[in-house]
Amino acid sequence: MFRVTTLSSINPPIKTLKNGEEDAIDYSKFDKIAEKYYEEILNYFMTSENDEFNDIKILIAKKLKGQTASFKSIILAKPEQIEYWIEQINTNLDLDKKQKAFKSFNRFFKKFENFGFNNLNKRDLVLEIKKICKENGWKLDNEIGKTIRRIHGAKKYPLFSLSFYNLFTISNTQKIDWEKDFFGKETNLTVSGQLEGETFAMALGQIYTFGPTFRAENSNTSRHLAEFWMIEPEVAFNDLNDNMDLAEDFIQFVIKYTMDKCPEDLKFLESRLVEEEKSKPQAERSEMNLLEKLNFVLENNFKRVSYTEAIDILRESSPNKKKKFSYIINEWGADLQSEHERYLVEKHFKCPVILFDYPANIKAFYMRLNEDGKTVRAMDILFPGIGEIVGGSQREERYDVLVEKMKVLGIDEEELWWYLDTRRFGSAVHSGFGLGFERLVLFVTGMTNIRDVIPFPRTPQNAEF
């Protein structure tokens, strides 16, 4: 069953510490957020025309030993109530119906886990909770996928349960005196030098930055590093189309230069890749060898496709209809995963792809809002074998629009006063992008793990050097 609840109804709640002692957090401050999600989930289930959810609707309507269980009561149920209902379902439903019901719940669990339904998504949730935490001096740590077993114990936690606020650990940091910290204020590492780059572009016209950046997400994959190097051009008077032209020309130039200057090295790397591929199942082997893949990028114009068109293609694709994607595409607004990006490049278009005009609520605040009010002038370049290799956008140059977006997202205007000043007194259309250097090296060399293309890889749970 599913359980979406506030921490105050969990026994025991997540513990927070202050001076070595337990310190209670006032979770009632999050109740309004919870109610929005309760309504959204209930509405999603009861109005869905998806046959997969019929078993769930039947369970809601059925009397289990004389007790009627509404879906909302299931959502708000405490652990002992959940366990009682599971016991009744196990007793009253035959095995076939039971398996169908739990299968439906499991599909919904995956959908909820990724916040992919209707207009509410993980980004909205995180931003709202971050805002409340900041106002109260609390620290927020992402705990998705880690806490159900910790709260309930390995044997006792409810089947298919999901604790609403167990998605995060909230700690009391009110006692930290940031004025005594090294910088005299709370300071964090950054994943980009873009905002600073924009100030230079407004003064000098065309600039780029190239330096280390830091990824906060817990992305422990063969394509991610916690610390990596980023090339970030920023150009005044470039709109999104100019930005796409620049990124495409830049990548093709670098690849051609490498092929012209290092042919023997590339032949060696190609031989290495061939030997590595022999150890893989046929289905996991690359369709192209290394040099074919590099020529593939040089000889094909990058296909430019709107996000909306890409969603339509993915929704109607065979792997989506056959449920072979790990993340099923059901509706507009989904955040694309690597499997979707690679399908578009490798299977559908069979050439590098530039996706543009993404939904505003899955992209950053500084991207220019389109006239439809729903999408922004964002772009991602997708490559075979990797997925996204470049991300960029036309920046929001309109002061009033930028300020309004920051207010909606809870971004402190005082913290970014210097960034707003590049618009406050007049600005110009400008655009830029970020190219992860190690991902480019990964693609050009044919290596399969990004940790092999940087001397001292730093990744989640690993900072040995």
Side-chain angles (χ1 to χ4, degrees):
M1 305 295 287
F2 281 91
R3 184 168 56 79
V4 184
T5 178
T6 59
L7 277 175
S8 55
S9 66
I10 295 173
N11 185 23
I14 289 177
K15 296 177 180 179
T16 56
L17 300 177
K18 181 176 71 174
N19 298 329
E21 299 179 357
E22 288 187 25
D23 177 42
I25 296 293
D26 181 9
Y27 296 106
S28 65
K29 295 180 182 293
F30 302 102
D31 285 345
K32 287 184 180 180
I33 301 176
E35 283 300 321
K36 282 175 64 178
Y37 276 81
Y38 298 152
E39 290 175 16
E40 191 70 20
I41 297 162
L42 183 61
N43 180 65
Y44 177 84
F45 251 124
M46 302 313 290
T47 60
S48 174
E49 296 179 359
N50 193 333
D51 292 340
E52 293 173 5
F53 301 141
N54 287 343
D55 292 306
I56 298 175
K57 293 180 182 179
I58 291 170
L59 284 176
I60 294 169
K62 276 201 171 191
K63 291 184 178 181
L64 303 176
K65 281 198 173 178
Q67 180 180 2
T68 301
S70 70
F71 184 67
K72 191 160 187 177
S73 69
I74 292 174
I75 294 176
L76 298 172
K78 293 184 178 180
E80 57 270 21
Q81 291 172 309
I82 292 287
E83 289 165 10
Y84 171 75
W85 277 326
I86 290 174
E87 182 182 338
Q88 297 306 306
I89 290 171
N90 287 338
T91 303
N92 289 283
L93 291 183
D94 61 46
L95 182 62
D96 183 56
K97 288 184 178 178
K98 190 191 308 179
Q99 288 175 336
K100 285 184 178 178
F102 285 160
K103 188 176 181 182
S104 295
F105 275 115
N106 193 39
R107 282 177 179 154
F108 179 66
F109 173 76
K110 289 179 180 176
K111 178 175 282 290
F112 184 85
E113 186 178 40
N114 296 293
F115 294 92
F117 52 83
N118 291 11
N119 297 318
L120 290 168
N121 58 33
K122 177 184 169 186
R123 179 182 174 83
D124 299 327
L125 176 66
V126 173
L127 288 169
E128 290 192 63
I129 292 182
K130 273 185 176 178
K131 184 178 179 181
I132 294 173
C133 288
K134 184 172 183 179
E135 289 171 353
N136 290 274
W138 300 336
K139 181 183 177 184
L140 186 70
D141 289 319
N142 193 324
E143 291 289 335
I144 287 178
K146 296 181 181 178
T147 57
I148 292 172
R149 292 177 184 270
R150 180 161 64 85
I151 293 295
H152 297 286
K155 296 181 179 179
K156 294 183 178 179
Y157 78 101
L159 290 175
F160 306 117
S161 66
L162 180 63
S163 298
F164 182 73
Y165 291 123
N166 286 6
L167 297 173
F168 309 96
T169 295
I170 300 171
S171 312
N172 196 327
T173 60
Q174 288 175 310
K175 295 298 180 181
I176 294 178
D177 186 355
W178 292 109
E179 290 184 0
K180 295 179 180 178
D181 198 34
F182 186 86
F183 289 106
K185 59 184 291 188
E186 184 177 3
T187 310
N188 302 284
L189 296 172
T190 179
V191 76
S192 172
Q194 175 212 312
L195 302 189
E196 291 81 0
E198 285 188 52
T199 65
F200 279 93
M202 291 295 92
L204 303 175
Q206 302 178 43
I207 66 97
Y208 75 93
T209 64
F210 182 34
T213 57
F214 303 87
R215 182 179 177 85
E217 291 89 345
N218 186 17
S219 301
N220 205 349
T221 78
S222 61
R223 295 173 288 104
H224 291 96
L225 292 164
E227 178 189 21
F228 61 100
W229 286 65
M230 184 93 85
I231 304 160
E232 296 181 278
E234 199 72 34
V235 183
F237 309 113
N238 267 16
D239 63 14
L240 185 67
N241 289 319
D242 299 322
N243 204 37
M244 291 190 281
D245 291 341
L246 177 62
E248 182 174 345
D249 291 346
F250 180 86
I251 292 174
Q252 289 182 328
F253 177 87
V254 172
I255 291 175
K256 187 175 187 310
Y257 182 90
T258 306
M259 294 182 75
D260 289 344
K261 300 293 183 181
C262 311
E264 295 303 317
D265 295 312
L266 291 175
K267 284 180 183 178
F268 169 78
L269 290 165
E270 182 174 65
S271 300
R272 186 211 65 81
L273 183 59
V274 168
E275 290 302 311
E276 182 182 285
E277 294 272 284
K278 289 179 181 178
S279 65
K280 296 181 180 179
Q282 187 65 40
E284 295 179 14
R285 296 179 187 178
S286 302
E287 295 182 4
M288 294 178 280
N289 64 37
L290 178 58
L291 292 175
E292 286 174 339
K293 200 158 51 172
L294 298 178
N295 280 310
F296 175 83
V297 173
L298 293 182
E299 295 168 2
N300 288 284
N301 291 327
F302 294 11
K303 179 71 175 177
R304 300 185 182 187
V305 183
S306 72
Y307 168 90
T308 300
E309 183 183 347
I311 285 292
D312 290 339
I313 291 168
L314 291 166
R315 189 190 290 122
E316 297 303 317
S317 68
S318 176
N320 197 63
K321 288 184 174 180
K322 294 179 179 179
K323 312 293 184 185
K324 291 189 176 180
F325 281 148
S326 298
Y327 299 88
I328 303 302
I329 300 293
N330 288 317
E331 55 196 18
W332 191 91
D335 204 352
L336 300 186
Q337 306 297 317
S338 177
E339 60 182 346
H340 307 133
E341 296 167 345
R342 292 185 60 184
Y343 174 84
L344 292 170
V345 174
E346 298 168 22
K347 303 297 183 184
H348 188 83
F349 291 109
K350 299 185 184 299
C351 66
V353 172
I354 306 181
L355 293 187
F356 63 92
D357 285 356
Y358 280 80
N361 66 350
I362 64 172
K363 288 295 184 180
F365 76 97
Y366 51 74
M367 297 184 178
R368 196 183 202 279
L369 190 66
N370 283 320
E371 299 305 314
D372 60 14
K374 298 191 305 180
T375 59
V376 289
R377 301 293 280 164
M379 54 157 271
D380 287 338
I381 297 182
L382 315 180
F383 265 23
I386 290 182
E388 180 191 339
I389 193 168
V390 166
S393 71
Q394 182 176 327
R395 316 310 189 189
E396 182 57 78
E397 83 281 7
R398 297 166 296 183
Y399 175 79
D400 55 340
V401 177
L402 185 61
V403 168
E404 183 59 32
K405 289 174 74 174
M406 291 174 68
K407 286 179 179 176
V408 169
L409 296 174
I411 298 172
D412 191 347
E413 293 176 45
E414 292 184 9
E415 283 288 318
L416 291 178
W417 64 267
W418 54 272
Y419 183 68
L420 288 173
D421 274 1
T422 61
R423 278 81 167 165
R424 195 189 313 272
F425 306 108
S427 188
V429 170
H430 58 289
S431 301
F433 62 84
L435 169 62
F437 181 66
E438 285 78 16
R439 279 207 182 177
L440 180 60
V441 175
L442 185 73
F443 180 78
V444 172
T445 60
M447 303 300 287
T448 52
N449 194 317
I450 200 165
R451 303 174 196 200
D452 293 330
V453 299
I454 188 170
F456 302 109
R458 291 165 187 132
T459 57
Q461 304 300 310
N462 173 45
E464 184 70 20
F465 305 105

